[in-house]
């Protein structure tokens, strides 16, 4: 990959390349999952361009160009004004001009731009409704790659997709445009095939570990989701140097699946209480009090965390594996609380969310993910996370509520439910439809806050924020249309096939 990589770096740094070409190259690089290879180069170029840019130049720019520029600067944290889109509105009617609807590429890019909106940007709120409606109305009249581009974007905007999967889709849908830059196309194809080899090896390691665990831990009621969990964690970071972190974090989420299914679908309330006490004691002597069926799992968890403590170096005075262990204990306590609600009464929405932020799993998965990221994870980063900053609590809120929206019907079929929807209905005295609409609005406003939290100056480096944002993206992937984790053939089958079974032809 070295030769096309160096050719592409020269293109990014070349001062003779005009603004449109440079931003197009950077946009393609990002969409193809190559940003980490050129991050310092891109940041240096965008710093210069952003400080030199004359907003009046956009008076003559078309919708596609304006949208690409907006996306590039916003994606990399620059506060590029959404006022550049004002000229596409008719000021007498206040509506978007009809002539822009003939520019399908522009409409697609405008729709993607609007996904990056923050609170108060009403023109982008309007843009989502407008572009979505217009693109849906013409979708069946389109042919070729443009038809597939529109179909995919309407199903899954890039900003809320699995980064690796979206990169592969982008190559297949936009290869003709990418061929304008030979080294980019060559590097993208080589890079995908290189990552696929690495990721298949990681998946092999995780799958073997899962099968070994299943042979020791006889829990037939647990969902078998090793491949799905690996795809989930792959979304957090695709960089090759985070290989160990992906493996460990996938194992953590698989341990969590066993815990979740035990509390949610199998154990009695008394068994849950005993298991919670044992997990909080974190001592092998506590195993004697447990039901026979869960003893092997408890022993396995303790041994696994002891092994990770030896594998992962401590960062300063911070032991991230210990932090992950503490989060695991908090999960068990919170799972028990939710189970008790199911057996008694629905809590208030505020009380539900206090526990729901924990059972979203973000604390456990994020700390586990950070454990393999090396020196960038400083004590200040851990202190920042423990201070419950807005972007963290917002991500947790989306994770909890989005899952509730898609699982409520299935939960009610099995037993009395105490979801966020139920809690909202009780607290505010509204119908289920009104509660669902309100929660959808909470989720959408949450995305605006996440977008805001990624704009410069950020509280911590973007490399620290990216895994958190990517976790939130995966919640949208899994729960947008159905409970894609329980019924994994609906979502994950396509992802696993594309990422691990189909190589990119050179």
């Amino acid at each position: 990959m070295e030769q096309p990589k160096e050719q592409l770096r020269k293109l990014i740094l070349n001062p003779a390349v005009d603004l449109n070409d440079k931003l197009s190259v950077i946009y393609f690089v990002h969409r193809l999952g190559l940003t980490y290879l050129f991050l310092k180069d891109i940041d240096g170029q965008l710093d210069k361009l952003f400080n030199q840019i004359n907003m009046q130049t956009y008076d003559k720019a078309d919708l596609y160009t304006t949208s690409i520029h907006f996306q590039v600067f916003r994606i990399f944290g620059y506060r590029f004004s959404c006022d550049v889109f004002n000229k596409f509105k008719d000021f007498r009617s206040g509506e978007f001009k009809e002539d822009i609807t003939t520019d399908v590429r522009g409409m697609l890019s405008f729709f993607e731009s609007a996904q990056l909106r923050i609170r108060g940007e009403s023109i982008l709120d309007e843009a989502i409704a407008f572009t979505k409606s217009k693109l849906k109305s013409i979708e069946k009249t389109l042919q070729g790659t443009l038809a597939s581009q529109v179909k995919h974007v309407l199903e899954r905007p890039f900003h809320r997709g699995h980064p690796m999967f979206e990169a592969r889709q982008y190559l297949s849908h936009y290869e003709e445009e990418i061929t304008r830059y030979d080294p980019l196309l060559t590097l993208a194809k080589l890079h995908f095939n290189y990552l696929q080899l690495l990721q298949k090896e990681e998946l092999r390691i995780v799958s073997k570990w899962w099968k070994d665990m299943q042979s020791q831990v006889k829990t037939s009621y647990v969902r078998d989701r090793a491949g799905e969990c690996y795809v989930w964690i792959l979304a957090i970071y695709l960089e090759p140097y985070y290989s160990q972190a992906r493996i460990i974090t996938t194992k953590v989420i698989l341990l969590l699946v066993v815990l979740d299914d035990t509390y949610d679908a199998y154990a009695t309330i008394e068994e849950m209480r005993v298991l919670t006490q044992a997990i909080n004691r974190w001592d092998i002597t506590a195993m004697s009090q447990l039901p026979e069926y869960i003893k092997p799992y408890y022993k396995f968890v303790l041994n696994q965390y002891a092994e990770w403590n030896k594998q992962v170096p401590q960062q300063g005075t911070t032991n991230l594996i210990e932090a992950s262990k503490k989060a695991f204990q908090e999960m068990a306590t919170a799972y028990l609380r939710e189970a008790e609600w199911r057996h008694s009464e629905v809590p208030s929405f505020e009380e539900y969310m206090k526990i729901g932020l924990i059972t979203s799993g973000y604390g456990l998965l994020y700390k586990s993910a950070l454990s393999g990221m090396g020196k960038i994870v400083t004590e200040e980063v851990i202190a920042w996370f423990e201070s419950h900053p807005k972007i963290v609590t917002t991500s947790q809120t989306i994770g909890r509520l989005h899952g509730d929206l898609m699982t409520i019907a299935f939960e009610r079929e099995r037993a009395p439910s105490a979801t966020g929807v139920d809690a909202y209905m009780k607290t505010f005295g509204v119908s289920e439809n009104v509660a669902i609409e309100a929660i959808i609005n909470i989720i959408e406003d949450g995305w605006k806050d996440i977008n805001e939290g990624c704009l410069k100056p950020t509280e911590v480096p973007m490399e620290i924020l990216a895994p958190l944002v990517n976790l939130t993206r995966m919640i949208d992937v899994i729960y947008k249309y159905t409970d894609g984790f329980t019924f994994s053939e609906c979502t994950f089958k396509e992802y696993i096939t594309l990422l691990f079974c189909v190589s990119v032809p050179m």
Side-chain angles (χ1 to χ4, degrees):
M1 298 190 293
E2 286 305 313
Q3 184 179 353
K5 188 166 78 174
E6 287 311 308
Q7 291 173 334
L8 194 54
R9 177 174 280 111
K10 288 177 182 177
L11 185 61
I12 291 170
L13 296 176
N14 188 347
V17 175
D18 71 18
L19 178 67
N20 283 343
D21 270 346
K22 186 158 288 192
L23 292 182
S24 290
V25 169
I26 292 172
Y27 183 71
F28 287 150
V29 163
H30 184 72
R31 290 298 304 263
L32 292 167
L34 299 167
T35 301
Y36 76 96
L37 297 173
F38 307 99
L39 191 56
K40 288 183 180 178
D41 302 314
I42 290 172
D43 278 342
Q45 291 296 299
L46 290 181
D47 269 342
K48 291 178 188 175
L49 294 172
F50 189 71
N51 290 325
Q52 294 170 0
I53 210 158
N54 178 0
M55 299 305 285
Q56 290 181 342
T57 60
Y58 290 98
D59 291 344
K60 296 180 181 179
D62 62 19
L63 182 60
Y64 176 78
T65 302
T66 303
S67 298
I68 291 295
H69 289 203
F70 179 86
Q71 284 186 68
V72 170
F73 283 116
R74 281 288 178 99
I75 285 167
F76 286 93
Y78 294 86
R79 292 180 180 270
F80 194 83
S81 175
C82 65
D83 290 346
V84 292
F85 295 111
N86 286 340
K87 69 172 189 170
F88 299 109
K89 292 190 80 172
D90 184 324
F91 286 101
R92 284 172 295 183
S93 66
E95 304 292 330
F96 285 106
K97 296 174 181 176
E98 279 299 316
D99 60 358
I100 66 172
T101 61
T102 59
D103 178 9
V104 180
R105 287 172 72 244
M107 292 282 285
L108 270 176
S109 196
F110 194 18
F111 180 68
E112 293 280 25
S113 296
Q115 307 300 323
L116 297 162
R117 70 199 192 280
I118 61 178
R119 289 182 189 251
E121 293 185 323
S122 57
I123 190 170
L124 297 183
D125 292 332
E126 295 167 22
I128 284 187
F130 176 77
T131 52
K132 190 174 184 178
S133 170
K134 296 299 181 182
L135 289 170
K136 277 186 173 180
S137 69
I138 62 170
E139 182 183 358
K140 289 186 171 59
T141 68
L142 302 172
Q143 295 180 335
T145 56
L146 191 58
S148 62
Q149 289 167 9
V150 170
K151 182 178 185 293
H152 182 71
V153 166
L154 288 174
E155 287 177 357
R156 174 81 50 210
F158 161 70
H159 187 55
R160 298 196 190 178
H162 187 298
M164 188 74 192
F165 181 82
E166 291 302 317
R168 283 290 302 267
Q169 290 281 21
Y170 193 77
L171 178 64
S172 64
H173 293 154
Y174 292 87
E175 184 169 349
E176 191 175 328
E177 294 181 36
I178 297 165
T179 52
R180 290 161 47 197
Y181 310 101
D182 284 340
L184 176 60
L185 182 61
T186 303
L187 179 61
K189 290 183 173 183
L190 286 167
H191 183 251
F192 282 131
N193 288 337
Y194 163 62
L195 287 189
Q196 187 180 75
L197 289 172
L198 174 65
Q199 290 159 7
K200 284 165 77 171
E201 174 61 13
E202 292 172 2
L203 180 56
R204 183 193 67 79
I205 292 168
V206 167
S207 297
K208 182 178 183 303
W209 174 90
W210 175 243
K211 287 175 183 176
D212 289 345
M213 188 187 98
Q214 285 180 311
S215 69
Q216 300 173 46
V217 179
K218 307 293 185 182
T219 47
S220 58
Y221 56 87
V222 172
R223 290 168 290 182
D224 187 0
R225 297 290 185 272
E228 291 85 345
C229 285
Y230 177 74
V231 170
W232 192 330
I233 301 308
L234 178 59
I236 299 178
Y237 29 39
L238 57 80
E239 295 88 341
Y241 42 80
Y242 291 143
S243 180
Q244 184 193 45
R246 276 190 294 276
I247 292 169
I248 289 177
T249 310
T250 304
K251 291 177 180 179
V252 169
I253 196 174
L254 283 166
L255 292 177
L256 184 58
V257 169
V258 179
L259 193 70
D260 183 38
D261 287 355
T262 300
Y263 279 80
D264 202 38
Y266 193 79
T268 67
I269 194 71
E270 285 306 319
E271 289 172 342
M272 293 180 212
R273 288 173 179 144
V274 173
L275 178 57
T276 304
Q277 289 171 1
I279 288 173
N280 280 299
R281 276 185 61 190
W282 207 266
D283 190 316
I284 198 67
T285 60
M287 193 168 77
S288 61
Q289 305 299 316
L290 294 173
E292 285 300 318
Y293 72 89
I294 206 66
K295 284 181 179 180
Y297 169 73
Y298 180 76
K299 182 180 179 181
F300 191 92
V301 170
L302 266 59
N303 289 341
Q304 189 62 70
Y305 268 91
E307 184 180 322
W308 289 331
N309 253 322
K310 296 174 185 175
Q311 285 180 8
V312 179
Q314 187 164 311
Q315 302 296 328
T317 60
T318 302
N319 186 323
L320 286 163
I321 295 300
E322 282 298 308
S324 172
K325 183 189 90 172
K326 182 182 175 184
F328 192 91
Q329 292 170 316
E330 290 171 350
M331 286 288 292
T333 302
Y335 277 154
L336 174 61
R337 191 76 191 95
E338 287 189 341
E340 288 172 339
W341 285 334
R342 291 197 299 271
H343 286 78
S344 55
E345 62 176 351
V346 176
S348 69
F349 188 66
E350 181 182 4
E351 188 181 3
Y352 175 82
M353 288 310 301
K354 283 180 183 176
I355 298 298
L357 294 186
I358 299 171
T359 58
S360 70
Y362 274 66
L364 175 60
L365 294 181
Y366 189 58
K367 286 175 182 175
S368 303
L370 292 178
S371 70
M373 292 183 68
K375 293 180 180 179
I376 191 174
V377 185
T378 62
E379 292 175 33
E380 288 76 18
V381 166
I382 299 301
W384 166 81
F385 182 81
E386 297 291 1
S387 71
H388 307 292
K390 187 175 185 178
I391 192 170
V392 171
T393 57
T394 299
S395 297
Q396 291 172 315
T397 299
I398 292 173
R400 180 66 276 165
L401 293 179
H402 213 326
D404 285 350
L405 288 180
M406 282 300 116
T407 60
I408 184 169
F410 181 63
E411 296 280 353
R412 285 177 178 169
E413 283 179 10
R414 294 190 305 178
S417 66
T419 67
V421 176
D422 299 304
Y424 196 96
M425 290 166 62
K426 174 184 175 179
T427 301
F428 299 102
V430 297
S431 67
E432 182 175 306
N433 287 340
V434 171
I436 289 172
E437 189 63 34
I439 286 172
I440 289 171
N441 289 335
I442 291 171
I443 291 169
E444 289 303 316
D445 284 342
W447 272 106
K448 294 177 186 179
D449 292 336
I450 288 174
N451 292 339
E452 175 82 48
C454 292
L455 296 178
K456 297 181 180 182
T458 55
E459 296 176 332
V460 291
M462 193 58 213
E463 293 92 326
I464 296 296
L465 293 176
L468 185 71
V469 177
N470 287 336
L471 270 173
T472 314
R473 289 182 171 126
M474 270 311 289
I475 292 299
D476 198 86
V477 169
I478 296 168
Y479 293 112
K480 183 171 183 178
Y481 298 109
T482 184
D483 178 357
F485 189 69
T486 298
F487 307 104
S488 59
E489 69 280 358
C490 300
T491 301
F492 280 102
K493 184 177 179 179
E494 180 187 6
Y495 282 60
I496 290 170
T497 302
L498 181 65
L499 294 177
F500 309 127
C501 304
V502 181
S503 59
V504 179
M506 296 302 298

